[in-house]
Amino acid sequence: MRVLCAFPEAMPSSNSRPPACLAPVALFLALLFHLSLFSRAGDRRPLPVDRAPGLKEKTLILLDVSTKNPVRTVNENFLSLQLDPSIIHDGWLDFLSSKRLVTLARGLSPAFLRFGGKRTDFLQFQNLRNPAKSRGGPGPDYYLKNYEDDIVRSDVALDKQKGCKIAQHPDIMLELQREKAAQMHLVLLKEQFSNTYSNLVLTEPNNYRTMHGRAVNGSQLGKDYIQLKSLLQPIRIYSRASLYGPNIGRPRKNVIALLDGFMKVAGSTVDAVTWQHCYIDGRVVKVMDFLKTRLLDTLSDQIRKIQKVVNTYTPGKKIWLEGVVTTSAGGTNNLSDSYAAGFLWLNTLGMLANQGIDVVIRHSFFDHGYNHLVDQNFNPLPDYWLSLLYKRLIGPKVLAVHVAGLQRKPRPGRVIRDKLRIYAHCTNHHNHNYVRGSITLFIINLHRSRKKIKLAGTLRDKLVHQYLLQPYGQEGLKSRSVQLNGQRLVMVDDGTLPELKPRPLRAGRTLVIPPVTMGFYVVKNVNALACRYR
C-alpha cells in the first residue's frame, strides 16, 4: 500500500491542527501494529481463513496408551520362521550353516522354526549313506550333490549338540550356490504353474477337493490326530512333543466345516490350532495394491472366523497363523520382496497380536520365490530389517491404543479412514538399551501426506527414540533396500549385523510421520505398570 501526502514547507505550530492526510496514516500504522501482534499469537488465535469448498483442515492426532494392564500377551516366539524342504531336494542344506546365514537367523531369535511346504508331501527318508559325500572331499561336488539323507538326524545327537557349527565356505561356493539357485527357481516355477509334481501326495486336507476332486472329513482327520498322539506318547523322545493342526487354508465354507468337524473330535488333542493365509491370489499385482486398506483388513475377518469355531469347542485354545505370504505362487518379482510389501507384513504382526493370535510363522526365511526374508544371494530384504526391528523392540504384551483427532469425535484405534495404523506393545525386556516400563509404538502411514501425532496422557513429555524405515534408492516403493533414519541398512563387511541406531527426539516434541512410511517409536521411562514385570 502506498500513502501519498503533501506536507507544508514550514512545520505547524503546537496549537495548529495536523494535516488532514495524517489521520489515515495514523490509522494505517495502528492497523499494522495490531496485525503484527495478532500474528505473534497465531498459535493461540488462528486467523479465520475462507477455505475452498471440499478442502479439509489438517488434523493433529492425539495419542495415548493404556499402561495399567495389557489387553493381550502373545508367545515369546510370536514372530517365527519357516523353511521349505526344497533346500534339501536341491542341495542347499549345507549352505544353511554358512556364517552369513546363521548370523541373519540369530538376529531373529528366539523363534520357532517350522520345516514344511509343498515339498514335504513327497520327501522320502532313507537311512543310507550317500556315496557322493565320500568322494573328493569338500569340493563343489560335496556341496552340490543330493542331500536327501541329510534330513535324517538323531534326536539324541541334537540334544548333545552345544551349538551350530558354522561352515566357512570359500567364495567360489557362493557363486556356485547362486547358479544352483537360478536353476532351481526355474524348475520350481515350472512345477507351480503346471501344478504337476512327481509322486504327488497332498496332506493339506482342504486342498484335496481342488486337486483331486476328493474331500477329507474333518471328524476322520481328528481321529487320525488322536491316533498319532497315541503313537507318539510311548516313544521317549516324542512323549512330550507338541502337536499342531489341522493347518487349514483360507476359512471359506468347506474349510470351516472341516475345522468344525476336526475341533469337535480332536480340539483337546492339539496344542494349538493352525491355519494359513495368503493375501493376494493372483500372480500379477501392482505396487499400490500393498497400500490398500481393504487388502490389509482381509486378515481380520479370517481371524474372527477361526476364533469362532475354536472357542465353540475349546475356549482359550491357542491359535497360530502357521504360514503367511503376500501373494500365491511364490510371490511376485520386484513386489513381494520390496519395501511396499512391508506394509502388509507389519500390519499383519500388529493385527494378529491385537486379536490374540499366539504365533505367526513367516513363509519363509530363506527359500525360492519372492516371499522370503533373505534372498538367494544371502542378502537381507526389506521385510528382514522390519522383522529385525520388531524382534529387537517389541515385547509380547499388547497395549490398548487411544487415538483422537482435534475437533472430531474420538474413535479409539481407528484414525482417518484407517490409513494411519498405530499399535503399542511393552518394549522388549531383553533389550537392555531401555528400562522396563518403556513402551514401543509402531506406526504405518499409508497417506500421501505427513501426519502429526501429539503424545498425550501417560506419554506426555517423554523422550522418544525414532526408528524410521524408508526405501533406499531411486526405485521408491519397489526398492529392495531400506534406510533407517536416513542410513542405508546393509550387513557389515565381516558378516555381522549393523547397529540399529535410533534418532532421539526432544521430549514433548510432536511426532511427524512422513507419507507412505512405517517406523517404530520407543517412548522411554513411561514407567508403565503393565510393562514393569515379565
Side-chain angles (χ1 to χ4, degrees):
M1 178 184 293
R2 296 175 63 189
V3 179
L4 301 179
C5 181
F7 288 92
E9 293 181 359
M11 293 297 293
S13 61
S14 59
N15 59 354
S16 63
R17 297 177 63 183
C21 66
L22 289 183
V25 170
L27 179 62
F28 173 70
L29 293 177
L31 178 61
L32 288 180
F33 181 72
H34 175 71
L35 290 177
S36 175
L37 291 177
F38 200 89
S39 63
R40 293 177 188 174
D43 291 339
R44 291 169 291 169
R45 299 176 59 191
L47 282 170
V49 179
D50 293 329
R51 298 182 179 274
L55 183 63
K56 294 184 178 180
E57 183 180 356
K58 291 186 177 179
T59 304
L60 178 67
I61 297 158
L62 294 180
L63 171 64
D64 192 13
V65 174
S66 297
T67 59
K68 290 185 178 180
N69 296 296
V71 293
R72 300 276 190 278
T73 301
V74 298
N75 199 294
E76 290 276 353
N77 300 338
F78 173 73
L79 198 171
S80 290
L81 306 171
Q82 174 173 317
L83 283 175
D84 194 278
S86 59
I87 60 173
I88 295 177
H89 186 274
D90 295 276
W92 284 16
L93 188 61
D94 273 15
F95 287 96
L96 293 181
S97 62
S98 69
K99 180 179 179 180
R100 187 180 181 92
L101 208 56
V102 168
T103 298
L104 291 170
R106 282 176 174 165
L108 300 182
S109 65
F112 294 113
L113 179 61
R114 179 177 186 261
F115 191 77
K118 288 185 177 180
R119 289 285 185 179
T120 55
D121 298 325
F122 40 84
L123 269 181
Q124 297 181 359
F125 299 89
Q126 298 178 358
N127 195 18
L128 299 176
R129 181 178 297 278
N130 190 334
K133 286 195 170 183
S134 60
R135 300 197 306 265
D141 288 343
Y142 174 84
Y143 291 98
L144 300 181
K145 291 293 184 182
N146 295 326
Y147 289 91
E148 281 81 359
D149 62 321
D150 281 356
I151 195 173
V152 180
R153 295 286 187 267
S154 167
D155 290 282
V156 177
L158 286 175
D159 290 338
K160 294 180 178 179
Q161 187 174 345
K162 300 300 181 182
C164 296
K165 181 180 180 181
I166 299 178
Q168 302 292 339
H169 300 304
D171 293 339
I172 188 176
M173 294 315 305
L174 289 178
E175 296 300 323
L176 290 170
Q177 189 271 339
R178 288 165 183 163
E179 294 177 6
K180 186 71 176 179
Q183 298 171 8
M184 185 208 71
H185 182 60
L186 293 176
V187 173
L188 292 178
L189 284 180
K190 182 179 179 181
E191 289 182 343
Q192 289 173 356
F193 280 101
S194 64
N195 205 22
T196 303
Y197 299 86
S198 58
N199 301 323
L200 181 62
V201 179
L202 290 176
T203 59
E204 189 177 314
N206 55 293
N207 270 349
Y208 274 23
R209 183 185 298 275
T210 302
M211 306 297 291
H212 289 293
R214 299 169 57 188
V216 174
N217 182 277
S219 299
Q220 180 58 51
L221 181 64
K223 294 176 182 178
D224 294 339
Y225 266 73
I226 293 174
Q227 184 177 5
L228 174 61
K229 188 78 170 181
S230 65
L231 292 173
L232 293 175
Q233 286 180 343
I235 305 174
R236 181 182 61 84
I237 298 176
Y238 301 112
S239 59
R240 297 183 180 179
S242 298
L243 191 60
Y244 305 96
N247 198 30
I248 59 172
R250 184 173 298 180
R252 293 170 177 165
K253 185 176 180 180
N254 65 314
V255 180
I256 288 295
L258 176 86
L259 179 61
D260 187 90
F262 177 85
M263 293 302 300
K264 186 176 182 180
V265 174
S268 60
T269 302
V270 293
D271 293 86
V273 178
T274 61
W275 102 101
Q276 298 190 12
H277 176 68
C278 176
Y279 276 100
I280 303 174
D281 288 331
R283 294 186 175 93
V284 180
V285 293
K286 303 175 186 177
V287 66
M288 298 308 295
D289 287 343
F290 293 105
L291 309 183
K292 294 179 178 178
T293 57
R294 177 169 47 85
L295 177 65
L296 270 62
D297 289 338
T298 57
L299 177 61
S300 182
D301 183 56
Q302 292 197 22
I303 295 173
R304 287 192 292 268
K305 289 180 180 179
I306 298 292
Q307 288 176 331
K308 182 179 180 180
V309 177
V310 172
N311 291 331
T312 298
Y313 298 101
T314 55
K317 175 71 67 175
K318 300 294 185 182
I319 302 176
W320 290 15
L321 181 57
E322 200 173 69
V324 56
V325 295
T326 55
T327 61
S328 58
T332 303
N333 189 19
N334 296 326
L335 291 179
S336 300
D337 51 1
S338 69
Y339 174 85
F343 293 108
L344 274 182
W345 178 227
L346 187 58
N347 186 72
T348 296
L349 295 172
M351 186 176 290
L352 290 171
N354 256 4
Q355 294 189 230
I357 301 303
D358 195 46
V359 171
V360 53
I361 298 179
R362 171 63 186 244
H363 184 287
S364 69
F365 173 62
F366 171 71
D367 199 0
H368 68 281
Y370 308 103
N371 286 316
H372 43 229
L373 301 180
V374 180
D375 70 13
Q376 296 162 352
N377 295 327
F378 301 158
N379 295 317
L381 293 167
D383 275 8
Y384 176 84
W385 298 116
L386 197 60
S387 303
L388 182 64
L389 280 168
Y390 190 95
K391 280 286 189 180
R392 296 277 179 89
L393 301 175
I394 301 296
K397 293 183 179 180
V398 186
L399 304 176
V401 175
H402 303 285
V403 181
L406 293 181
Q407 300 177 356
R408 74 166 57 195
K409 186 177 180 180
R411 301 175 64 200
R414 302 173 70 85
V415 186
I416 313 178
R417 296 182 182 177
D418 296 334
K419 286 192 174 183
L420 185 66
R421 300 185 174 220
I422 305 173
Y423 301 97
H425 285 240
C426 293
T427 303
N428 190 342
H429 58 261
H430 294 299
N431 191 327
H432 300 299
N433 294 324
Y434 302 106
V435 299
R436 295 197 178 186
S438 299
I439 290 175
T440 300
L441 310 168
F442 55 102
I443 303 175
I444 301 171
N445 183 15
L446 298 175
H447 288 274
R448 295 179 181 272
S449 60
R450 67 179 186 175
K451 296 300 172 185
K452 294 183 178 181
I453 299 177
K454 184 71 174 179
L455 300 183
T458 55
L459 308 183
R460 188 192 308 272
D461 297 330
K462 296 295 190 297
L463 293 171
V464 177
H465 277 183
Q466 172 186 272
Y467 298 82
L468 180 64
L469 273 179
Q470 294 174 290
Y472 177 84
Q474 301 297 320
E475 294 180 310
L477 294 176
K478 290 186 177 181
S479 176
R480 298 170 81 245
S481 298
V482 294
Q483 54 184 334
L484 177 65
N485 296 328
Q487 297 293 322
R488 185 185 182 187
L489 286 176
V490 292
M491 293 193 71
V492 184
D493 292 338
D494 62 359
T496 59
L497 292 171
E499 184 180 356
L500 303 178
K501 296 182 179 180
R503 175 178 294 166
L505 303 181
R506 180 166 43 88
R509 178 180 175 182
T510 299
L511 304 182
V512 179
I513 315 300
V516 197
T517 56
M518 46 195 156
F520 297 80
Y521 299 82
V522 180
V523 187
K524 301 181 64 178
N525 305 325
V526 178
N527 199 25
L529 181 63
C531 306
R532 284 161 55 184
Y533 306 101
R534 295 185 61 175

